[in-house]
Amino acid sequence: MKIIDVNEEYQTGYRYSLVAPSGKKFDIEFKPELTPKQMLKLGIFGGAYFTRQPKEFPANWFEGVDFSDNKKSDKNLNCFKVNASQSLAVWQKNGWIYFEDPLGWFLWYCRYFLGRRIPEEDNRQIKRWINIHRHIAQLQKNCVKCDVSCRPRQRQALLHWAYDSRVL
């Protein structure tokens, strides 16, 4: 079992254990289409989710990743060149932030992917991920398959949740 000590801009003094192999042994209901590395490379959260490469994650996840110059979301760094995110304040207000993952779902996913497991929180986040699936049905109903110009904001939002909306 490997222990990760987190001392980053977004969280300090946090420690967690990796109890599953990286990228394996996911909950049976959780089938993300993209890895954190793929998501970062495609362009998510306007390059501002992390303000620089976090030391807690593998360096190769960040190869070729563009970070926002001014720490504010830049839609041009997103895969679909649109803003599709709500602010962290909105996430906090809605109770979507767990204290162990102060940046929200994607931070949870990165840590889950690495092998951290917190059963109650994992169940909550996986249910949230499943609920995002409804946007896939909307794209399929309203867009020609693989027409990435159709509903780019919805496609970008799905990308933030590890769904590969480029192929829908």
Side-chain angles (χ1 to χ4, degrees):
M1 176 173 18
K2 183 176 179 182
I3 303 293
I4 304 291
D5 287 306
V6 179
N7 288 299
E8 303 285 355
E9 184 177 343
Y10 52 85
Q11 188 176 35
T12 60
Y14 176 62
R15 173 181 271 197
Y16 62 93
S17 302
L18 302 180
V19 298
S22 184
K24 298 185 178 184
K25 297 199 175 182
F26 287 8
D27 181 282
I28 195 165
E29 291 188 279
F30 186 52
K31 298 175 181 156
E33 298 171 353
L34 298 166
T35 67
K37 178 181 179 177
Q38 290 169 319
M39 294 168 67
L40 289 161
K41 180 76 173 169
L42 285 169
I44 55 171
F45 303 107
Y49 193 88
F50 298 117
T51 57
R52 61 179 180 266
Q53 179 182 323
K55 294 180 182 104
E56 80 172 282
F57 302 119
N60 71 1
W61 284 14
F62 297 89
E63 291 171 0
V65 171
D66 293 320
F67 293 96
S68 173
D69 291 334
N70 60 9
K71 299 183 182 181
K72 292 185 178 181
S73 181
D74 178 353
K75 69 179 182 180
N76 294 311
L77 298 178
N78 280 338
C79 180
F80 295 100
K81 309 296 183 219
V82 295
N83 287 323
S85 300
Q86 295 176 323
S87 71
L88 183 58
V90 168
W91 283 62
Q92 291 166 334
K93 179 183 172 193
N94 287 315
W96 297 334
I97 300 294
Y98 183 69
F99 75 94
E100 292 198 11
D101 299 317
L103 296 181
W105 188 87
F106 184 64
L107 182 58
W108 169 84
Y109 177 43
C110 290
R111 291 171 172 173
Y112 187 88
F113 188 91
L114 279 184
R116 182 191 74 176
R117 298 295 185 267
I118 305 172
E120 187 175 322
E121 179 60 5
D122 297 346
N123 288 337
R124 183 179 81 91
Q125 294 290 16
I126 290 167
K127 284 178 185 170
R128 293 181 66 227
W129 175 83
I130 290 168
N131 287 335
I132 294 300
H133 193 269
R134 70 186 183 277
H135 292 283
I136 291 174
Q138 292 173 3
L139 282 177
Q140 291 171 331
K141 179 181 176 185
N142 295 294
C143 300
V144 173
K145 186 174 178 147
C146 298
D147 178 2
V148 296
S149 68
C150 182
R151 295 185 174 226
R153 191 164 185 260
Q154 204 162 26
R155 288 177 186 280
Q156 185 68 41
L158 283 164
L159 193 67
H160 292 174
W161 288 86
Y163 287 104
D164 192 351
S165 58
R166 299 169 302 166
V167 298
L168 297 172

